[in-house]
């Protein structure tokens, strides 16, 4: 359905533009290579730079296309044409876009190469079927594009022969298969010069309304849904706008006089299934969690008394004179984690399963799992062993802000050696976290809850208790190591003065 | 420019293909040459390079080192890493790898559609002739295998009017070199859960180098009229390695002139 497709594109745009700002989460460490190697057709790196320039313009342009004054069925009769990804041969369902050879505003010739894509083993140049001007580019390098999806839009010159109609099914109501309306109907409503959205055109078609006869009450004389319904009602096409679809509506769609109305496309559309292609962080999560699931995990659970931590945080807050700094529990937890890691370096390592080697990492780059609007991301604070709690607080705040704005860069996301997942910030007692490979341990901390505890002589007192769940790679770590490590960390949290003992 | 053998070829009707035979040319140079010929020449080419001079890791066009390589070992052992202009996966190449490359105009082979799958089938059929009766050879997904073990990896690039299909054949390999590669996120289905060393095999267990090359040339001759290019001028062209590859740079023509291989 055209409406669905257009909106889907809008959603895709936001994902892909988000991903591009992050300067692919996918391209991690820079190529350690000297320049001659880069010369060997690393066009992608050039491509990805130019793509960042693109994303702003298309994002706005997508909105404009909703109000196009052009043909719904993408007939190039002097208007904007959707150019799909084709020319890949059979058996290929999707490709990765590698680079653009054109940009918005460029004049292009028929058969001119417009972009390069990759499918499996092959890079393929895609050429333009039309002569015209590039109106809008819908994907950026690195995006996965399904064969048949629109790659870009071109403003074509008058009277170009169209081979396009068969590829773009005409818009349909849900419940109907792809029906081509008879030519006269298509021509009448599609080549008219009125301003309206595809959804409204659709609606007009269903009610056999000629948009040229409808008075638009929207901006610039735009015809709105209400205008069409109003006109149809007055004309007598609609008796009861809320009646359901019948098979007779098929004829109605073809423009015949019909007494059986059916509701507008938009009302029905909202109950349809919605396909959400996974992009960016979500796509990355599919891959990383699938790999993590192959690792034998075990989970160690413990409770930590956070009374001292709560007091410490209040103390930090009360003596805090910097309005930009907000003290929370995490920085202290992070610093004490680093202290414990110094004693148990195996917890801060990476496992090479082919060589059967464990690399004990020198730096404590502690990753903090964050939930952003684009999905789960784990930026890390580098070299915690050398940072003070205040420095950790500031760095954490910086990363959190970047994550919220979706502006984290690859350096922030790579190089982590252990991960902390503060699921307690949202709620819950504790989680059962999956490893963030190639790390060997991950710690999920639950919410600090005030619960009753017993003293030795049976008296009840309140205590702030936090439950932690440490997920560990059982190929590398055993229960004893993790238990001892957790005990060490717990000590630093329950008795923060011990941090001073080890202060350098 | 026309010589008697060219006229002969045209009389028979088989399209002309220029053949370049190299030995020990660094893979980066070979890739430069291939891309140059793909983008600027209008002839058909076959390049056979027996080995690259130094163990080198070559990734596909969108390869990401962090995902595909054990970077610390690679850096420690100073293994060069190259990104090629064709798709596909990561390989470790060394002096015992044999490279065979086809660069063709899209209408060079009658009836062949210039898309990945048809080209893969056509080259697969050609190698079927080469390995006829030897070791249960087939094209499996995108690889050349004996049985279920891969010995040849393929990659392609398809432009507006031409295509390239190149293969690296593991005539032999060193186990320690294979250790630089991680298990890729995308692997062919037939690999199943096998580690790399259980997945690949050596061509030398099936055929000698010279026999492979002569059989390959014979198989090519059933489709093309082969003409040998001046090999010496390619190998000794010192300036070749220093030339930057740019897609629309006129320097490509100067490479051709220097190498005398139009």
């Amino acid at each position: 359905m055209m409406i669905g497709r257009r909106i889907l594109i809008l959603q895709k745009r936001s994902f892909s533009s988000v991903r591009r700002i992050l300067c692919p989460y996918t391209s991690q460490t820079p190529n350690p290579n000297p320049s001659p190697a880069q010369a060997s057709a690393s066009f992608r790196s050039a491509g990805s730079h130019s793509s960042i320039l693109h994303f702003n313009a298309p994002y706005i342009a997508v909105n404009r296309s909703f109000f196009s004054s052009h043909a719904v069925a993408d007939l190039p009769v002097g208007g904007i044409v959707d150019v799909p990804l084709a020319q890949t041969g059979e058996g290929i369902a999707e490709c990765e876009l590698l680079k653009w050879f054109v940009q918005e505003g460029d004049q292009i010739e028929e058969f001119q190469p417009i972009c390069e894509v990759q499918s499996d083993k092959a890079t393929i140049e895609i050429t333009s079927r039309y002569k015209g001007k590039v109106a809008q580019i819908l994907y950026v390098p690195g995006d996965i594009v399904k064969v048949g999806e629109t790659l870009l839009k071109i403003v074509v010159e008058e009277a170009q022969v169209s081979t396009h109609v068969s590829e773009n099914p005409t818009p349909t109501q849900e419940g109907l298969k792809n029906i081509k309306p008879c030519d006269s109907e298509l021509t009448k409503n599609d080549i008219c010069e009125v301003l309206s959205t595809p959804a409204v055109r659709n609606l007009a078609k269903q009610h056999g309304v000629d948009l040229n006869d409808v008075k638009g009450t929207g901006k610039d004389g735009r015809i709105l849904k209400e205008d069409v319904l109003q006109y149809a009602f007055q004309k007598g096409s609609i008796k009861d706008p809320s009646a359901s679809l019948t098979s007779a509506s098929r004829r109605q769609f073809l423009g015949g006089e019909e007494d059986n109305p059916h509701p507008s496309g938009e009302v029905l559309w909202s109950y349809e299934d919605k396909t959400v292609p996974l992009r960016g962080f979500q796509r990355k999560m599919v891959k990383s969690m699938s790999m993590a699931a192959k690792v034998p995990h075990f989970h160690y659970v413990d409770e930590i008394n956070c009374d001292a931590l709560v007091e410490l945080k209040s103390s930090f807050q009360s003596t805090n004179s910097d309005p930009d700094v907000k003290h929370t529990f995490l920085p202290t937890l992070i610093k004490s984690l680093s202290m414990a890691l110094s004693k148990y370096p195996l917890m801060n390592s990476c496992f090479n399963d082919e060589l059967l080697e464990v690399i004990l990492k020198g730096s404590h780059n502690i990753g903090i799992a964050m939930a952003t609007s684009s999905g789960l991301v784990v930026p890390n604070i580098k070299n915690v062993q050398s940072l003070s709690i205040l420095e950790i607080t500031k760095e954490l705040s910086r990363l959190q802000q970047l994550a919220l704005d979706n502006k984290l860069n690859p350096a922030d996301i790579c190089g982590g050696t252990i991960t902390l997942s503060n699921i307690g910030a949202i709620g819950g007692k504790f989680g059962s976290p999956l490893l963030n490979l190639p790390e060997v341990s991950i710690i999920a901390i639950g919410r600090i809850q005030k619960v009753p505890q017993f003293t030795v002589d049976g008296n009840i007192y309140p205590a702030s208790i936090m439950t932690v769940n440490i997920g560990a790679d059982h190929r590398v770590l055993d229960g004893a190591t993790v238990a001892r490590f957790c005990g060490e960390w717990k000590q630093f949290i329950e008795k923060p003065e011990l941090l001073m003992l080890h202060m350098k | 420019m026309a010589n008697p053998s060219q006229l002969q070829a045209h009389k028979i009707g088989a399209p002309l293909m220029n053949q370049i035979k190299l030995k020990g040319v660094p893979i980066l140079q070979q890739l430069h040459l291939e891309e140059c010929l793909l983008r600027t020449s209008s002839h058909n080419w076959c390049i056979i390079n027996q080995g690259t001079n130094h163990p080198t890791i070559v990734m596909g066009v969108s390869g990401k080192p962090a995902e595909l390589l054990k970077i610390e070992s690679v850096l420690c052992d100073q293994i060069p890493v190259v990104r090629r202009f064709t798709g596909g996966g990561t390989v470790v190449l060394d002096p015992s790898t044999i490279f065979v490359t086809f660069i063709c105009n899209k209408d060079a082979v009658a009836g062949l559609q210039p898309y990945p799958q048809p080209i893969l089938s056509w080259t697969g059929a050609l190698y079927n002739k080469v390995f006829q009766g030897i070791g249960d050879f087939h094209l499996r997904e995108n690889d050349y295998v004996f049985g279920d073990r891969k010995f040849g990896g393929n990659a392609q690039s398809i432009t507006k009017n031409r295509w390239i299909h190149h293969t690296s054949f593991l005539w032999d390999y060193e186990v320690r070199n294979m250790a630089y590669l991680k298990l890729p996120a995308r692997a062919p289905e037939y690999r199943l859960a096998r580690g790399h060393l259980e997945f690949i095999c050596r061509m030398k267990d099936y055929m000698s180098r010279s026999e492979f090359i002569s059989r390959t040339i014979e198989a090519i001759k059933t489709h093309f009229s082969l003409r040998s290019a001046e090999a010496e001028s390619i190998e000794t062209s010192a300036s070749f390695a220093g030339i930057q590859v740019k897609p629309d740079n006129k320097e490509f023509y100067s490479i051709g002139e220097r190498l005398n291989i139009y």
Side-chain angles (χ1 to χ4, degrees):
Chain A
M1 233 174 99
M2 189 69 85
I3 304 163
R5 191 155 71 88
R6 290 268 165 96
I7 289 176
L8 207 56
I9 288 169
L10 176 62
Q11 285 169 338
K12 275 180 204 158
R13 292 273 338 117
S14 57
F15 276 120
S16 63
S17 65
V18 154
R19 201 158 74 89
R20 291 319 294 170
I21 297 169
L22 294 168
C23 280
Y25 185 45
T26 49
S27 80
Q28 296 172 345
T29 50
N31 194 325
N33 247 39
S35 52
Q38 292 291 5
S40 177
S42 55
F43 299 120
R44 258 189 93 240
S45 52
S48 57
H49 285 302
S50 59
S51 72
I52 292 168
L53 299 171
H54 284 163
F55 82 86
N56 270 320
Y59 194 79
I60 298 163
V62 165
N63 289 322
R64 272 204 300 248
S65 77
F66 269 89
F67 298 104
S68 100
S69 59
H70 299 292
V72 172
D74 299 325
L75 280 173
V77 283
I80 293 182
V81 168
D82 287 356
V83 177
L85 172 62
Q87 302 171 29
T88 57
E90 277 184 32
I92 291 171
E94 58 182 31
C95 296
E96 180 187 347
L97 177 65
L98 292 177
K99 72 176 293 211
W100 285 105
F101 298 131
V102 298
Q103 53 191 20
E104 290 178 3
D106 282 355
Q107 201 64 33
I108 56 175
E109 298 296 315
E110 202 182 356
F111 307 127
Q112 179 180 333
I114 47 177
C115 66
E116 194 179 41
V117 300
Q118 182 190 211
S119 84
D120 226 5
K121 303 282 177 178
T123 61
I124 307 168
E125 264 183 22
I126 304 296
T127 56
S128 171
R129 284 179 212 217
Y130 303 102
K131 176 178 170 172
K133 190 164 145 185
V134 179
Q136 185 191 346
I137 283 178
L138 296 173
Y139 288 94
V140 292
D143 283 346
I144 304 293
V145 185
K146 286 197 168 49
V147 169
E149 278 182 350
T150 304
L151 272 174
L152 78 166
K153 294 176 192 277
I154 299 178
V155 179
V156 299
E157 265 102 83
E158 296 283 333
Q160 282 192 49
V161 174
S162 165
T163 50
H164 234 22
V165 176
S166 55
E167 280 172 342
N168 289 312
T170 43
T172 63
Q173 266 306 84
E174 64 98 40
L176 299 174
K177 302 285 182 213
N178 288 344
I179 298 168
K180 279 203 170 57
C182 59
D183 285 336
S184 57
E185 274 310 302
L186 187 65
T187 317
K188 226 168 30 141
N189 270 341
D190 293 335
I191 303 183
C192 65
E193 289 300 317
V194 295
L195 280 178
S196 60
T197 69
V200 170
R201 289 175 188 281
N202 216 0
L203 189 64
K205 232 179 240 173
Q206 287 145 29
H207 295 296
V209 166
D210 182 355
L211 283 174
N212 285 309
D213 300 334
V214 179
K215 185 173 166 13
T217 58
K219 191 181 167 197
D220 300 329
R222 197 159 284 155
I223 298 177
L224 306 175
K225 183 179 98 179
E226 297 72 37
D227 300 329
V228 172
L229 288 175
Q230 182 75 11
Y231 180 83
F233 184 67
Q234 283 165 358
K235 207 178 129 193
S237 304
I238 305 178
K239 291 261 157 58
D240 175 3
S242 62
S244 54
L245 274 171
T246 62
S247 58
S249 62
R250 180 191 268 244
R251 271 177 282 136
Q252 179 173 13
F253 187 81
L254 292 174
E257 293 296 310
E258 195 49 57
D259 284 340
N260 284 319
H262 53 82
S264 79
E266 278 143 22
V267 172
L268 283 175
W269 177 78
S270 62
Y271 296 118
E272 273 188 42
D273 289 349
K274 191 165 107 171
T275 304
V276 178
L278 295 180
R279 300 266 186 269
F281 289 147
Q282 288 184 323
R283 203 180 183 96
K284 184 80 187 161
M285 192 164 78
V286 171
K287 278 195 187 139
S288 51
M289 293 307 170
S290 303
M291 301 278 282
K294 292 180 187 153
V295 173
H297 285 62
F298 76 92
H299 290 97
Y300 177 86
V301 181
D302 202 355
E303 282 181 347
I304 301 180
N305 186 319
C306 291
D307 286 339
L309 183 66
V310 172
E311 227 187 281
L312 195 65
K313 181 194 123 173
S314 315
S315 169
F316 287 161
Q317 263 309 109
S318 59
T319 51
N320 180 26
S321 53
D322 187 343
D324 292 332
V325 170
K326 188 183 170 221
H327 289 283
T328 61
F329 298 120
L330 256 186
T332 312
L333 290 171
I334 293 169
K335 186 62 185 173
S336 46
L337 185 70
S338 170
M339 300 295 269
L341 286 175
S342 302
K343 202 166 166 197
Y344 293 92
L346 198 57
M347 297 290 294
N348 189 58
S349 61
C350 291
F351 180 51
N352 182 327
D353 52 6
E354 295 244 344
L355 296 174
L356 291 179
E357 271 175 7
V358 173
I359 304 165
L360 305 177
K361 294 291 188 183
S363 306
H364 300 164
N365 297 341
I366 299 180
I368 310 294
M370 294 184 190
T372 70
S373 53
S374 315
L376 170 68
V377 66
V378 187
N380 58 82
I381 301 173
K382 304 271 191 294
N383 296 310
V384 172
Q385 75 279 4
S386 309
L387 295 179
S388 66
I389 293 179
L390 184 61
E391 284 167 332
I392 294 168
T393 308
K394 289 181 177 159
E395 177 62 4
L396 183 63
S397 175
R398 182 188 77 91
L399 290 172
Q400 276 168 332
Q401 195 53 49
L402 286 176
L404 276 174
D405 299 337
N406 282 309
K407 283 191 168 94
L408 286 166
N409 56 59
D412 292 329
I413 302 172
C414 305
T417 58
I418 189 170
T419 299
L420 202 57
S421 171
N422 186 16
I423 194 70
I426 298 173
K429 197 155 175 139
F430 59 86
S432 178
L434 287 186
L435 289 174
N436 186 12
L437 294 179
E439 297 164 14
V440 300
S441 58
I442 179 169
I443 303 160
I445 54 183
R447 202 170 258 276
I448 299 179
Q449 288 169 334
K450 214 167 193 107
V451 296
Q453 301 267 286
F454 283 102
T455 60
V456 177
D457 46 356
N459 291 321
I460 298 178
Y461 67 94
S464 297
I465 300 291
M466 177 177 76
T467 314
V468 302
N469 183 333
I470 303 180
D473 186 339
H474 215 334
R475 301 171 300 176
V476 176
L477 294 166
D478 57 34
T481 308
V482 174
R484 287 186 195 121
F485 162 77
C486 190
E488 183 78 11
W489 183 37
K490 185 169 161 169
Q491 250 201 324
F492 284 120
I493 298 171
E494 292 182 345
K495 295 184 165 66
E497 57 273 21
L498 289 174
L499 288 170
M500 278 173 62
L501 197 60
H502 296 271
M503 199 167 70
K504 288 200 172 77
Chain B
M1 161 98 157
N3 61 44
S5 60
Q6 257 183 298
L7 290 169
Q8 194 73 6
H10 286 159
K11 263 195 211 160
I12 298 166
L16 198 59
M17 180 174 265
N18 295 314
Q19 193 199 347
I20 300 173
K21 275 188 184 167
L22 307 171
K23 203 170 163 67
V25 168
I27 187 63
L28 182 61
Q29 272 190 19
Q30 180 187 335
L31 289 169
H32 280 161
L33 174 62
E34 287 179 5
E35 194 175 357
C36 162
L37 294 175
L38 174 71
R39 299 197 196 284
T40 67
S41 165
S42 53
H43 296 267
N44 302 310
W45 299 90
C46 169
I47 300 166
I48 300 178
N49 183 16
Q50 292 192 58
T52 183
N53 62 335
H54 184 281
T56 308
I57 294 170
V58 178
M59 300 186 303
V61 69
S62 60
K64 288 142 197 129
E67 286 180 8
L68 299 164
L69 309 177
K70 291 172 185 161
I71 293 193
E72 267 138 27
S73 319
V74 169
L75 287 174
C76 192
D77 299 345
Q78 299 192 317
I79 307 293
V81 178
V82 172
R83 179 181 282 138
R84 62 180 186 267
F85 63 99
T86 52
T90 314
V91 285
V92 187
L93 310 169
D94 63 24
S96 51
T97 316
I98 303 180
F99 305 94
V100 181
T101 302
F102 297 106
I103 303 172
C104 294
N105 291 313
K106 71 177 181 188
D107 50 9
V109 178
L112 178 63
Q113 292 288 301
Y115 299 125
Q117 215 40 56
I119 295 169
L120 204 56
S121 300
W122 181 80
T123 44
L126 189 140
Y127 287 112
N128 238 329
K129 290 192 194 115
V130 174
F131 296 107
Q132 193 96 56
I134 292 171
D136 189 24
F137 165 84
H138 20 250
L139 169 67
R140 188 111 187 232
E141 292 180 47
N142 298 311
D143 303 331
Y144 297 140
V145 299
F146 287 128
D148 63 353
R149 285 200 178 218
K150 175 179 175 178
F151 72 98
N154 296 298
Q156 301 166 334
S157 181
I158 300 167
T159 63
K160 187 173 147 188
N161 294 312
R162 288 162 71 70
W163 55 263
I164 178 172
H165 176 104
H166 56 196
T167 312
S168 57
F169 289 97
L170 289 175
W171 188 74
D172 194 1
Y173 59 80
E174 297 221 39
V175 172
R176 65 191 162 101
N177 285 343
M178 295 303 166
Y180 294 118
L181 305 181
K182 284 185 179 172
L183 184 72
R186 283 183 77 178
E189 281 180 27
Y190 77 96
R191 177 165 178 163
L192 303 168
R194 290 181 280 169
H196 200 202
L197 300 174
E198 268 66 60
F199 171 58
I200 55 177
C201 67
R202 296 171 164 90
M203 191 164 71
K204 75 171 190 187
D205 295 338
Y206 296 87
M207 198 182 267
S208 74
R209 250 200 264 242
S210 51
E211 204 190 339
F212 168 69
I213 289 170
S214 60
R215 281 194 179 211
T216 302
I217 290 171
E218 287 312 305
I220 297 169
K221 281 180 178 171
T222 62
H223 295 279
F224 294 93
S225 174
L226 266 186
R227 171 181 82 153
S228 209
E230 294 294 317
E232 294 81 6
S233 51
I234 299 161
E235 280 171 31
T236 59
S237 175
S239 55
F240 180 57
I243 292 172
Q244 292 285 321
V245 175
K246 287 168 203 163
D248 53 357
N249 195 316
K250 290 198 179 61
E251 267 191 300
F252 286 116
Y253 292 104
S254 63
I255 294 173
E257 279 163 16
R258 248 172 269 159
L259 299 178
N260 214 18
I261 52 174
Y262 285 109

